């Protein structure tokens, strides 16, 4: 099957004005990654105004919700993962209203092996470059020390980290690439303006990690938008993002304190 090149530009669905679509998009972002971007900005301002260099401060991605109470902690972890995916269900509902659902953005099971293969290749290409960029940004004082996980050593630690990685990838790629580009196109945005908006949004909700986290994710956002337009599917991007986060979360858990090149706090 040949690649499906997509264009962001399309007409609003029948019966829906651009005003309705604009308000809908703002609500979806306010319930998900737009709110995360604002929270990240506040966090970054706090880090900048705190005593000590950025690299001496930590940004923890997966921490304990109930230290010393593993079953309660597990319950909170699973609740957090599940509730974070509610905006994806909202997007699926809104797209289903158009008669297509998530299939419209290529998040379905019609091409599992191409999605897996392409995602793995993208992850391999971005992973090593991303790690090198993070280490350089931290060394030069532009980034906090990222702590991918600080969970207790219990049986559910790595399964939860994997679920967290999958949740991150589904939420981000479905909303910030597939859904957002589709809606901005229907609202009359140019492809370049939509690319910038998607990429800057991705960088913004990673700003809590520092300037390096922002810049690195903006670059990743540009690459992902271009690949989405080339393939017409967010499936490979979800796979790539999930693999990147799984390696980061699980790898940190296995290597932290055991290798000299991996920063810890």
């Amino acid at each position: 099957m040949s690649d499906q090149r997509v264009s962001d530009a399309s007409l609003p669905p029948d019966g829906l004005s651009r005003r309705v679509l604009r308000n809908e998009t703002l609500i979806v972002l306010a319930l998900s990654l737009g709110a995360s971007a604002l929270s990240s900005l506040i966090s970054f301002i706090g880090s900048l105004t705190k005593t000590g260099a950025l690299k001496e401060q930590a940004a923890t991605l997966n921490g304990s919700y109930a230290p010393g109470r593993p079953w309660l902690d597990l319950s909170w972890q699973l609740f957090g993962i599940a509730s974070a995916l509610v905006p994806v269900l909202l997007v699926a509902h809104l797209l289903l209203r158009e008669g297509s659902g998530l299939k419209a953005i290529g998040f379905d099971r019609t091409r599992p092996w191409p999605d897996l293969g392409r995602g793995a290749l993208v992850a391999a290409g971005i992973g090593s470059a991303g790690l090198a960029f993070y280490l350089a940004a931290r060394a030069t004082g532009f980034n906090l020390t990222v702590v991918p996980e600080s969970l207790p050593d219990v049986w559910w630690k790595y399964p939860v980290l994997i679920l967290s990685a999958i949740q991150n990838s589904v939420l981000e790629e479905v909303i910030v690439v597939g859904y957002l580009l589709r809606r901005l196109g229907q609202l009359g945005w140019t492809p370049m303006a939509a690319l910038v908006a998607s990429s800057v949004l991705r960088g913004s909700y990673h700003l809590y990690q520092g300037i390096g986290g922002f810049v690195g994710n903006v670059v990743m956002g540009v690459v992902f938008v271009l690949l989405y337009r080339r393939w017409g599917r967010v499936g490979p991007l979800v796979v790539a993002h999930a693999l990147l986060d799984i390696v980061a979360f699980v790898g940190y858990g296995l290597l932290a304190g055991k290798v000299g090149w991996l920063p810890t706090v």
Side-chain angles (χ1 to χ4, degrees):
M1 183 180 296
S2 60
D3 290 327
Q4 177 188 356
R5 298 175 186 271
V6 298
S7 171
D8 302 336
S10 58
L11 296 175
D14 292 340
L16 296 177
S17 68
R18 287 185 172 178
R19 180 180 179 181
V20 169
L21 291 182
R22 181 196 64 204
N23 292 341
E24 169 198 299
T25 303
L26 291 174
I27 290 171
V28 169
L29 293 179
L31 292 173
S32 57
L33 297 172
S36 296
L38 181 57
S39 171
S40 188
L41 174 61
I42 296 171
S43 177
F44 181 59
I45 293 173
S47 297
L48 285 178
T49 55
K50 185 177 180 180
T51 302
L54 286 180
K55 67 179 181 180
E56 297 172 354
Q57 302 176 46
T60 302
L61 307 187
N62 294 281
S64 176
Y65 291 116
R69 306 180 67 183
W71 285 104
L72 181 61
D73 199 351
L74 174 59
S75 299
W76 278 118
Q77 297 291 341
L78 295 178
F79 170 78
I81 291 169
S83 59
L85 289 173
V86 171
V88 176
L89 296 179
L90 174 58
V91 165
H93 168 74
L94 294 172
L95 293 178
L96 189 61
R97 180 184 56 187
E98 301 177 27
S100 56
L102 292 175
K103 185 177 181 180
I105 60 174
F107 189 54
D108 54 28
R109 294 179 292 177
T110 59
R111 304 188 65 189
W113 297 116
D115 286 351
L116 287 170
R118 286 170 168 172
L121 288 175
V122 173
I126 290 180
S128 55
L131 177 59
F133 181 79
Y134 159 67
L135 294 175
R138 180 185 178 276
T140 53
F142 289 102
N143 224 71
L144 285 76
T145 297
V146 177
V147 180
E149 69 86 17
S150 61
L151 296 177
D153 289 323
V154 291
W155 65 269
W156 50 259
K157 173 178 179 175
Y158 292 109
V160 162
L161 289 175
I162 292 171
L163 288 175
S164 177
I166 295 171
Q167 172 256 299
N168 288 341
S169 63
V170 172
L171 176 67
E172 294 185 35
E173 306 316 323
V174 166
I175 291 180
V176 83
V177 177
Y179 172 77
L180 184 59
L181 291 179
R182 184 176 181 85
R183 285 294 183 256
L184 292 181
Q186 292 168 336
L187 290 170
W189 288 46
T190 67
M192 178 57 70
L195 180 148
V196 170
S198 175
S199 302
V200 170
L201 175 59
R202 185 188 294 269
S204 297
Y205 57 75
H206 287 95
L207 189 57
Y208 68 93
Q209 299 176 10
I211 296 297
F214 172 79
V215 173
N217 278 280
V218 167
V219 173
M220 177 176 165
V222 171
V223 172
F224 273 27
V225 168
L226 295 177
L227 290 177
Y228 172 68
R229 288 174 174 167
R230 174 68 177 83
W231 294 331
R233 298 183 59 78
V234 299
L237 308 182
V238 170
V239 171
H241 193 152
L243 291 175
L244 288 169
D245 280 5
I246 288 171
V247 170
F249 298 168
V250 174
Y252 185 90
L254 295 173
L255 297 177
K258 299 177 183 178
V259 294
W261 55 265
L262 185 62
T264 57
V265 292

